[in-house]
Amino acid sequence: TGKGSYDFRSLKQDNPGKFFNPFLGTVITNAARLMLAITETLINHEGLSWVLCDTDSMAIAKPTEMAWDEFNERVERIRAWFRPLNPYEAGGDLLKLEDVNLSPTGERIPLFSIAISAKRYVEFNMGPSGELTIRKASAHGMGHYMPPYAPDDPELWQNEYWKRVIAAHLAGTPNNVNLVGLPGVEIPVAIQFSASTPHFLNYFDTFNKGKNYCNQVKPNNFLLAFQCRDPLLFPEIWADYPELDPRNIKPIAPYNRNILKGSKAAFDRHSGKKIPQRLLKTYGDVLAEYHLHPERKFLNARTNDCGPTRRRLIKASPIRYIGKEADRLEERLLEVIDEDATVDYEVAPETVDALRHHLEQGIAQHGLAQIAEIAGLSGKFIRQVANRERNASPNVFNRISRVLLDRDKLHAAHLEQLLRLLHQHGVRKLAAMSRIDASNLHKMGSGKRRISKFLSMWLDDRKNKT
């Protein structure tokens, strides 16, 4: 936690690896982040911009009006800044030029890029006649899916999709990617996993019943997991199956290299009921939404936004410590294993103390009733949490924290508006306008009394009218 250790009871054990060193891992990660921050600063000084960055790399963007040679010179100055920092005897570049920038003969050629959100991007070259060559395509968000065709070339279907995304951008319609004729879009989207524990194998008890052992699903066999289509998007299909509840269905099937054939054997892992193929989400359903993925850490990055993004101010809510979250991550994402697979260390004590202090301040500033109403919790419960008479789960702490941050932001806006009106009209005139006692209004403006709910509503109403 950075402030020592704390005790925690758990029925599960999280054993560190033989060469596990959390301090070394932290230093490596922090150094990479520092390099990215320095690179971004140098980019800004050179009058350039950037498209995307990864753990230890950054794609620098050329302004439209800038000449190609001048752009390369500025990029080289950025790279040269890092050379004296190289600790190795052989020397060389710390910020290396990746091969995607070079032609097969080693010449530097223009590289184009489209970034949808963090880790969702494509880098490509364009030939004289507009032909596309994919140099690097992100598989984030779809790399865990089995290839719908050409299983021996798993990147082929992803590259074909990215070409459709590029074509949409070049046509000026980035939000409308044409998937018509794209191979595999009608096939149910599938994930491969294995029956590595008795828990998984139990899902196939009904399937195995009455079969010879050679025809049963056995320990460590590969399996298929599917997803159901959204009933809000496909109500007419779900209407034909009133006996099935789309909220609780988890389709799985024995492994089949041919996904289309394997999906015909899909059944709900909870009830054992057969799931019709037409209820399963297809690759087309997944890809239709992929290019619209929002980026919550930036502004101008909502579902239908286009153009350069801007940094968003991020304030951390409760810090929650967990075990090795990467263990069987793909299975966890599709909920084919229990959440208990990861050790949850919950919220650290110093974080809880900080949250309780924030809650005490929030109650004094905004009132207990207002916080309880917005958070959807009882005032008694919130008071007990603030007074350390009761504990709360990480999710509840997170909910209360979001309410407090929203209230703080709104209070700051109301106070700024109130001070502006007081300066413009004076206390007496504003008191008459708002029908609030002048003495109370002055105390609210000076911060000696919290802004009342009535005044907040009056300020909002006035702002809406203007």
Side-chain angles (χ1 to χ4, degrees):
T1 66
K3 294 185 178 180
S5 60
Y6 63 95
D7 294 329
F8 177 80
R9 293 182 178 274
S10 174
L11 297 176
K12 299 177 291 298
Q13 192 169 0
D14 192 11
N15 294 317
K18 183 178 180 180
F19 300 105
F20 174 70
N21 187 321
F23 305 107
L24 182 60
T26 301
V27 170
I28 293 172
T29 305
N30 287 345
R33 296 296 183 273
L34 178 58
M35 283 191 65
L36 289 177
I38 294 172
T39 305
E40 183 177 359
T41 301
L42 295 173
I43 288 172
N44 291 335
H45 287 172
E46 290 289 350
L48 305 176
S49 183
W50 57 279
V51 184
L52 55 94
C53 64
D54 212 330
T55 306
D56 57 356
S57 62
M58 185 170 282
I60 304 176
K62 182 183 82 66
T64 306
E65 68 282 357
M66 185 177 291
W68 176 247
D69 290 340
E70 183 182 352
F71 171 67
N72 284 333
E73 288 178 7
R74 298 190 184 195
V75 170
E76 285 306 309
R77 284 200 294 267
I78 294 171
R79 295 178 60 217
W81 191 95
F82 287 94
R83 288 192 187 111
L85 301 179
N86 194 324
Y88 303 106
E89 287 185 10
D93 293 315
L94 276 183
L95 201 62
K96 296 180 180 179
L97 194 69
E98 294 191 6
D99 291 341
V100 293
N101 295 282
L102 306 176
S103 69
T105 59
E107 297 176 299
R108 190 180 298 190
I109 56 176
L111 181 70
F112 299 89
S113 181
I114 295 173
I116 294 173
S117 63
K119 299 185 180 181
R120 296 192 183 200
Y121 61 88
V122 60
E123 296 173 337
F124 60 97
N125 300 133
M126 292 182 62
S129 303
E131 62 271 20
L132 300 176
T133 302
I134 304 294
R135 301 301 300 271
K136 186 177 181 180
S138 165
H140 185 75
M142 56 181 172
H144 56 292
Y145 294 129
M146 293 177 62
Y149 61 92
D152 296 327
D153 188 1
E155 295 182 358
L156 179 61
W157 73 280
Q158 298 167 10
N159 288 348
E160 289 301 316
Y161 167 72
W162 277 114
K163 288 181 180 179
R164 299 295 183 100
V165 173
I166 296 169
H169 277 261
L170 294 177
T173 57
N175 290 338
N176 299 315
V177 176
N178 183 10
L179 300 179
V180 176
L182 188 66
V185 291
E186 298 300 326
I187 297 176
V189 64
I191 287 181
Q192 174 184 307
F193 69 105
S194 63
S196 55
T197 68
H199 179 71
F200 298 157
L201 199 59
N202 290 341
Y203 292 147
F204 289 85
D205 282 348
T206 302
F207 177 85
N208 287 339
K209 189 175 182 180
K211 289 185 173 65
N212 294 327
Y213 183 76
C214 61
N215 295 324
Q216 294 180 4
V217 173
K218 308 172 191 64
N220 294 315
N221 278 179
F222 286 130
L223 311 170
L224 297 179
F226 299 94
Q227 296 170 294
C228 282
R229 282 177 152 168
D230 190 334
L232 296 178
L233 299 178
F234 299 93
E236 70 287 350
I237 297 179
W238 282 98
D240 295 336
Y241 306 96
E243 72 280 6
L244 298 177
D245 184 355
R247 296 171 298 178
N248 299 318
I249 293 178
K250 305 295 179 187
I252 56 176
Y255 178 78
N256 193 313
R257 185 177 172 88
N258 185 313
I259 299 174
L260 200 57
K261 290 182 180 179
S263 64
K264 294 179 180 178
F267 61 91
D268 177 29
R269 78 178 196 210
H270 296 306
S271 65
K273 293 181 180 178
K274 180 176 175 58
I275 306 300
Q277 197 177 55
R278 60 200 293 250
L279 290 180
L280 301 178
K281 182 179 287 189
T282 66
Y283 283 88
D285 297 335
V286 171
L287 296 179
E289 302 173 347
Y290 186 85
H291 65 287
L292 299 175
H293 187 75
E295 177 50 73
R296 294 180 177 86
K297 296 179 182 177
F298 285 84
L299 297 171
N300 193 41
R302 294 169 297 184
T303 298
N304 293 313
D305 289 338
C306 295
T309 57
R310 302 187 305 278
R311 290 199 178 279
R312 182 193 294 273
L313 178 62
I314 304 295
K315 187 170 183 178
S317 57
I319 298 174
R320 185 172 178 176
Y321 296 91
I322 61 173
K324 293 178 287 188
E325 63 177 340
D327 289 349
R328 307 203 304 262
L329 180 60
E330 293 173 356
E331 298 168 13
R332 184 177 294 107
L333 288 174
L334 283 184
E335 300 177 350
V336 295
I337 64 174
D338 297 331
E339 293 182 0
D340 290 340
T342 298
V343 180
D344 189 342
Y345 298 107
E346 299 187 350
V347 180
E350 71 271 13
T351 304
V352 173
D353 291 340
L355 287 169
R356 284 198 166 111
H357 180 66
H358 190 193
L359 180 56
E360 291 169 356
Q361 292 179 322
I363 292 173
Q365 187 172 36
H366 309 298
L368 177 62
Q370 186 177 155
I371 294 174
E373 180 182 356
I374 298 172
L377 301 167
S378 72
K380 180 181 178 181
F381 173 78
I382 291 180
R383 175 65 73 183
Q384 288 175 333
V385 171
N387 292 340
R388 295 168 173 76
E389 297 171 2
R390 243 180 121 168
N391 290 323
S393 69
N395 289 335
V396 171
F397 267 127
N398 205 25
R399 190 196 312 180
I400 295 174
S401 179
R402 284 198 302 269
V403 170
L404 293 173
L405 290 174
D406 289 342
R407 290 296 96 188
D408 290 345
K409 185 177 179 180
L410 184 61
H411 178 267
H414 282 157
L415 183 58
E416 181 182 357
Q417 184 183 3
L418 175 59
L419 293 175
R420 189 169 58 251
L421 291 172
L422 285 170
H423 178 74
Q424 182 179 353
H425 302 289
V427 177
R428 293 186 182 278
K429 184 177 179 181
L430 188 60
M433 292 167 59
S434 62
R435 299 181 182 179
I436 295 178
D437 177 72
S439 176
N440 286 334
L441 195 63
H442 181 268
K443 290 178 181 178
M444 292 179 198
S446 62
K448 295 179 179 179
R449 177 170 292 180
R450 70 170 181 264
I451 296 178
S452 66
K453 188 175 181 180
F454 179 82
L455 180 57
S456 296
M457 294 173 61
W458 184 82
L459 291 170
D460 288 337
D461 184 60
R462 181 179 177 84
K463 183 177 180 180
N464 292 333
K465 287 180 180 179
T466 55

